[in-house]
Amino acid sequence: MNRGMKHFITVSDYSIEQLDRMIDVAGKLKSKKTELSLKGKTLILLFLNPSLRTRTSFELAMKQLGGWVVTLNAGGDTWKLETEEGMVMDGTSVEHIKDAAKVLGRYADAVGIRAFAKGENWEKDKKDPVIDVFIRYAGVPVINMESSLYHPNQALADIMTIQEKYGKDLKGLPVTITWANHVNPLPMAVPNSILLACSIFGMDIRFVCPAKYDLDTCIVDRAQDLSVISGGKITVTDNISEGFKGSKVVYAKSWGSLQFYGKKKEEQKYRKNLVHWIVDDGKMKLTDNAIFMHCLPVRRGLVVSDSVIDSSSSFVYDEAENRLHAQKSVLYHILGV
Ligand code: CP
């Protein structure tokens, strides 16, 4: 992808110093030690998928910085958008995403896009086609509000949350990123992004998932490279005890299997043997008083027990709050002077 302009697509486009600076600004905004203004700037948010946190926190971030924000739900309060290239548009789609990108770019100083993987063809999805169209045609900075591959704003808020608990230097901090059970094959953007972010910060990562739930090699290889640069470590295991032992952070998320991609029924059959992949008190006891993290929304009783998410070890609401502060910092990085 052409990253010439100041886009925010993945944390792995940024150095540890740049991410640290953005988190520092976010922290100062949170503690009201600084005031920033984006007065007169305009942001358009286009959602191709639902959201609670991302939509609310981006809208409030822009408004609290004094800027303008317009939010559109594709196919709801806009025309139904066609995302395939070269289509004869004789179906239900009324406007091509390329035309929408060109128009929205004329109105705004930056555009935020949420476009999940469609879940049928991974080779197509992994190219992040909607983000790519906006980068090519909008002519303004693009902010990724979760694509097939990345959820950078979530990862930035996650690192900010871990730093609030353990301090700025996260090198060598034992962190468990664990797969959890779910009824649906969910997108991989969150596990991809937290793996990349923890690698940039040199953490001792235990990546725990059952067989057939490995992430795409393009992400794993990039994370390994980033870990080498930062002096971190990545251990991939399907052994839950090994993965949780002595950890300081448990980051839970469910995602779909690449091996069952587009085969939901087959995957649901396979998952019948994976119901024990829930973060509960027993697993948390294996850790070194770890904090529990999840990006939300979360299915209680399936991904995490009530006792864990409602405990004093749970930092899920700090993560959600930090989305607001981190995104203000991202917006100022992109649109500020
Ligand atoms: N974590 C997150 O992105 O939440 P939403 O899907 O509700 O925006």
Side-chain angles (χ1 to χ4, degrees):
M1 276 183 194
N2 169 18
R3 302 266 207 262
M5 206 173 277
K6 225 178 192 182
H7 305 294
F8 194 62
I9 306 299
T10 164
V11 286
S12 52
D13 283 344
Y14 288 80
S15 68
I16 184 169
E17 291 79 15
Q18 289 172 313
L19 295 173
D20 255 336
R21 268 199 296 279
M22 278 195 253
I23 294 171
D24 281 344
V25 171
K28 283 185 184 137
L29 287 164
K30 185 176 183 178
S31 60
K32 306 206 183 307
K33 285 189 182 133
T34 190
E35 275 186 32
L36 300 173
S37 173
L38 289 179
K39 195 164 182 287
K41 299 288 182 183
T42 307
L43 174 70
I44 292 177
L45 307 174
L46 176 65
F47 286 88
L48 277 73
N49 312 96
S51 164
L52 186 146
R53 277 144 291 275
T54 305
R55 174 179 174 159
T56 318
S57 54
F58 259 113
E59 283 192 5
L60 287 172
M62 195 59 185
K63 285 177 183 171
Q64 288 173 5
L65 289 172
W68 294 89
V69 59
V70 174
T71 301
L72 301 170
N73 291 303
D77 47 24
T78 71
W79 299 116
K80 188 160 186 257
L81 298 173
E82 177 58 61
T83 56
E84 295 287 326
E85 281 281 358
M87 289 285 286
V88 175
M89 286 172 55
D90 56 1
T92 54
S93 297
V94 178
E95 180 156 29
H96 199 276
I97 193 92
K98 192 191 296 190
D99 297 317
K102 290 184 184 187
V103 171
L104 296 179
R106 300 279 181 111
Y107 298 145
D109 296 301
V111 185
I113 307 294
R114 168 162 283 197
F116 292 173
K118 287 188 175 166
E120 284 161 20
N121 179 334
W122 178 240
E123 289 312 310
K124 268 171 122 170
D125 284 349
K126 75 185 274 190
K127 292 186 178 135
D128 266 342
V130 176
I131 296 282
D132 185 47
V133 161
F134 272 84
I135 287 173
R136 281 194 283 145
Y137 297 112
V140 294
V142 176
I143 300 171
N144 183 354
M145 302 195 300
E146 191 173 344
S147 65
S148 305
L149 281 177
Y150 307 117
H151 197 353
N153 293 286
Q154 182 66 53
L156 196 68
D158 293 339
I159 295 294
M160 178 176 173
T161 308
I162 298 172
Q163 285 186 336
E164 284 175 342
K165 171 72 181 169
Y166 292 114
K168 293 298 287 180
D169 184 5
L170 300 178
K171 200 167 170 179
L173 186 81
V175 54
T176 298
I177 301 171
T178 181
W179 186 84
N181 191 31
H182 202 277
V183 288
N184 294 314
L186 299 184
M188 280 160 266
V190 168
N192 288 348
S193 290
I194 191 65
L195 177 63
L196 291 166
C198 292
S199 304
I200 292 167
F201 281 81
M203 294 188 221
D204 176 4
I205 303 163
R206 299 96 193 268
F207 191 87
V208 198
C209 64
K212 300 188 193 292
Y213 282 89
D214 294 326
L215 298 178
D216 192 279
T217 50
C218 73
I219 299 295
V220 178
D221 291 350
R222 181 84 174 111
Q224 290 286 7
D225 290 347
L226 291 165
S227 261
V228 169
I229 293 165
S230 63
K233 187 175 155 198
I234 305 176
T235 307
V236 179
T237 180
D238 62 0
N239 184 315
I240 292 174
S241 305
E242 188 191 325
F244 277 69
K245 200 174 160 201
S247 210
K248 301 295 267 183
V249 177
V250 170
Y251 194 105
K253 183 73 181 81
S254 191
W255 62 88
S257 164
L258 286 173
Q259 293 190 40
F260 290 116
Y261 208 75
K263 298 172 192 156
K264 191 174 168 181
K265 285 218 163 81
E266 279 182 47
E267 182 162 1
Q268 276 170 339
K269 228 161 98 184
Y270 181 76
R271 284 189 185 205
K272 288 206 169 115
N273 293 321
L274 302 177
V275 289
H276 59 291
W277 283 79
I278 174 171
V279 178
D280 54 15
D281 293 322
K283 293 189 186 72
M284 291 302 284
K285 277 198 186 107
L286 297 168
T287 70
D288 183 6
N289 290 313
I291 60 169
F292 173 77
M293 297 181 70
H294 189 283
C295 62
L296 305 180
V298 71
R299 295 219 184 194
R300 288 168 174 250
L302 199 64
V303 171
V304 59
S305 67
D306 284 333
S307 57
V308 170
I309 195 171
D310 292 332
S311 75
S312 57
S313 304
S314 173
F315 277 57
V316 297
Y317 309 114
D318 298 84
E319 278 180 271
E321 183 195 334
N322 284 339
R323 292 288 306 275
L324 174 69
H325 311 298
Q327 286 158 200
K328 279 184 186 168
S329 183
V330 169
L331 288 168
Y332 195 76
H333 164 74
I334 287 171
L335 293 173
V337 283

